[in-house]
Amino acid sequence: MTNQKRQIALLTGGGDCAGLNAVIRAVVKTATIEYQWDVLGIENGFEGLILPGKVRKLSIEDVRGILPRGGTILGTTNRANPFAYEEVLPNGEVKITDRSDDVLKRLDELNIDGLIVIGGDGSLHITHELIQKGLHAVGVPKTIDNDIQGTQITFGFDTALNTAMEALDKLQTTAESHHRVLILEVMGRNTGWIALKAGIAGGANVILIPEIPFTLQEVANKVNERRQENAKFSLIVVAEGAKPVGGSQVYQEMYASTGMRRLGGIGAVIESGLSQLIENEIRVTVLGHLQRGGSPTAFDRLLASRYGCMAVRLVAERKFGQMVALRDDQIISIPISEAVASQKFVPLNTDIIATALSLNISLGNTRQEIESMMG
Ligand code: F6P
C-alpha cells in the first residue's frame, strides 16, 4: 500500500443499473481512507470530459447514504462516444466528430493519475480504445444484461433478474384468473440471461432467448399442450433480442454515434403471430426500464462494493488496462481487451438449459433442434 498523495477520477457510462452508487461509494471510501487520495467524479460518462463544468470532487460526505440508492449520483449517458461525438448544430444537423484527444487532454489538465470507468460493453470499448492512445484506466463491469465476457456476473444483473421474476409472479395470478397467455418482454440486448434465469425463477412455461431461435408453432404447441392438461393459462418470457428461425431481431431505433440499434417490440410481434395459432386471449407486458431502476439487491450491493474496492487497488498497483471480474466467488482482474473481445452469450451446453428442459419449459424449438445446437 502507498500513502503517496494522488488524484483519481471515476465516471459511470452507458445505461444505468442498480449498484452504480454502491461502486462509487466503495471507490471514494477506499481511495480516501485507505490511500488518502483525492477523487474527482465526472458527470454523464465521457461527455463530462468533453463539456465544461462537469467535474467535481467527491468526498466521504458526498457518498454517505447512497449505498441503497438506484441510479448514479454522477449521471450517465449511452450517447457520448468521444470517438464519434454527436453535436446538434443550430440548423438542426447532427455533426459527428472525434473528440478522443480532448478527453485525454482534459484528464491531463486535471492531473488525473488513474480513471475508473464503471460501464458496460460500450463504455468498456471506448476505454479500451482510449487506453491504446495512452489513457491510464481500469474498468468495472456494469450492466443488467450480464453480457460482459470474462466475469461470471456483472453488477445490476441480479436486481434486474429479481424485478423480472416479481413481474412474472404478478402476471401469473392475472393470467390464471383470465385463462390468458401473458407475454413478458424483458431486456438483455443480444443475450438471454435475464429471460432465462427470471423465466425459471418465475415459473414461465415458455422462455425465448436470442441464443435459441424459436418457431411460433413450437410456442403454440406448448400453450395447447397445457390447455389439454387443463392448465388454461401460460406465461411466456421473451428476451428483447430473441428472433424466429430464419427471421431477425425487432428494433425501435438506432443511435447515430455508436451505430447501435435499440431493441424492442418482439413481444407484440409474437402476440400477433401466436393469435392465429391458439384460442387463448393474449396480452403483452414490456418490462422496460423498471429493470434498470430501484434499490440494488444484497447480492448487487456486495458485488458492487467488492468491485469498487478492487478497482482502487488496481489503480494503486498501476494495473491499468485491467477490469475487475468475478470468478469462483473471488474478485480478480482481467485485461479489458479480453472483456470487449466478444459478448458473453448464454452457453447452451450447461445445466441451466438442462434445468429448463427438465422442468418441461419450452425454449421455443424442438428438443432435438436444441440438442443439436448444444453440439
Ligand atoms: O444495456 C442495458 C439496456 O437496458 C439493454 O438491456 C437495452 O437494450 C438498452 O440498455 C436500452 O437502452 P436505453 O436506455 O437507451 O433505452
Side-chain angles (χ1 to χ4, degrees):
M1 197 193 303
T2 169
N3 280 331
Q4 195 190 337
K5 183 86 171 168
R6 285 161 72 175
Q7 180 153 268
I8 64 165
L10 87 161
L11 63 82
T12 51
D16 73 338
C17 69
L20 285 164
N21 284 327
V23 182
I24 296 171
R25 173 179 173 269
V27 167
V28 172
K29 288 189 85 165
T30 310
T32 311
I33 300 167
E34 214 170 334
Y35 294 96
Q36 292 84 50
W37 297 344
D38 285 337
V39 182
L40 296 184
I42 317 285
E43 291 173 18
N44 304 333
F46 285 101
E47 188 167 79
L49 292 168
I50 295 171
L51 300 181
K54 300 286 177 196
V55 179
R56 64 175 198 259
K57 188 159 183 274
L58 290 179
S59 66
I60 297 286
E61 286 80 58
D62 292 315
V63 298
R64 196 161 281 147
I66 68 171
L67 176 64
R69 262 166 62 188
T72 159
I73 59 164
L74 289 174
T76 188
T77 173
N78 51 14
R79 288 172 185 242
N81 178 357
F83 290 93
Y85 188 69
E86 272 177 53
E87 273 163 295
V88 183
L89 302 176
N91 66 2
E93 221 177 87
V94 178
K95 189 177 150 211
I96 297 181
T97 43
D98 182 349
R99 302 289 300 272
S100 56
D101 287 338
D102 296 338
V103 164
L104 294 174
K105 201 164 139 235
R106 181 93 175 102
L107 285 165
D108 221 36
E109 286 163 3
L110 290 166
N111 201 21
I112 298 302
D113 204 19
L115 174 69
I116 296 177
V117 176
I118 311 168
D121 184 51
S123 307
L124 292 172
H125 263 101
I126 294 166
T127 308
H128 179 58
E129 281 186 65
L130 288 170
I131 287 169
Q132 314 306 305
K133 296 183 78 167
L135 175 71
H136 282 175
V138 303
V140 178
K142 157 248 60 155
T143 169
I144 64 165
D145 305 329
N146 195 33
D147 59 353
I148 309 287
Q149 200 62 259
T151 183
Q152 276 165 351
I153 303 199
T154 55
F155 76 88
F157 170 67
D158 187 66
T159 307
L161 179 59
N162 276 283
T163 299
M165 181 196 72
E166 281 163 20
L168 280 170
D169 287 350
K170 289 181 176 154
L171 291 175
Q172 201 246 322
T173 57
T174 173
E176 194 166 14
S177 307
H178 285 267
H179 319 300
R180 282 174 170 161
V181 168
L182 288 192
I183 301 175
L184 178 68
E185 179 180 315
V186 297
M187 285 183 167
R189 286 209 309 162
N190 299 315
T191 65
W193 294 102
I194 299 177
L196 180 63
K197 293 200 168 184
I200 294 174
N205 310 109
V206 179
I207 302 173
L208 305 175
I209 61 174
E211 291 84 350
I212 303 177
F214 65 87
T215 71
L216 279 177
Q217 192 54 58
E218 268 308 308
V219 178
N221 289 351
K222 169 53 84 181
V223 172
N224 291 330
E225 171 196 308
R226 283 176 55 76
R227 273 177 77 87
Q228 274 160 22
E229 289 163 358
N230 228 13
K232 297 194 177 70
F233 73 97
S234 288
L235 280 184
I236 300 175
V237 189
V238 59
E240 61 180 357
K243 55 178 186 290
V245 173
S248 36
Q249 291 174 316
V250 182
Y251 293 99
Q252 297 179 58
E253 62 171 301
M254 185 190 280
Y255 304 119
S257 62
T258 56
M260 250 171 68
R261 294 192 287 173
R262 192 151 79 96
L263 288 158
I266 184 69
V269 171
I270 293 174
E271 176 188 24
S272 136
L274 200 57
S275 61
Q276 316 296 314
L277 303 172
I278 62 171
E279 284 173 28
N280 305 64
E281 277 189 321
I282 310 171
R283 296 288 186 269
V284 183
T285 301
V286 180
L287 197 52
H289 294 80
L290 283 173
Q291 292 158 100
R292 297 240 298 259
S295 184
T297 58
F299 182 90
D300 272 338
R301 291 181 199 193
L302 272 168
L303 186 61
S305 300
R306 292 170 78 191
Y307 277 168
C309 296
M310 180 61 149
V312 176
R313 278 179 225 132
L314 290 180
V315 175
E317 291 163 17
R318 305 194 71 79
K319 288 193 174 159
F320 300 121
Q322 295 278 304
M323 181 190 86
V324 299
L326 181 77
R327 230 174 260 174
D328 300 327
D329 203 32
Q330 292 299 312
I331 307 295
I332 57 155
S333 75
I334 61 158
I336 294 181
S337 56
E338 210 178 285
V340 298
S342 62
Q343 278 175 291
K344 185 181 71 184
F345 294 101
V346 173
L348 298 189
N349 211 351
T350 51
D351 80 285
I352 189 88
I353 295 286
T355 301
L357 294 173
S358 299
L359 290 170
N360 201 23
I361 295 170
S362 165
L363 296 176
N365 213 317
T366 62
R367 193 148 179 164
Q368 206 184 359
E369 269 296 319
I370 294 168
E371 278 165 2
S372 81
M373 286 179 214
M374 285 172 171

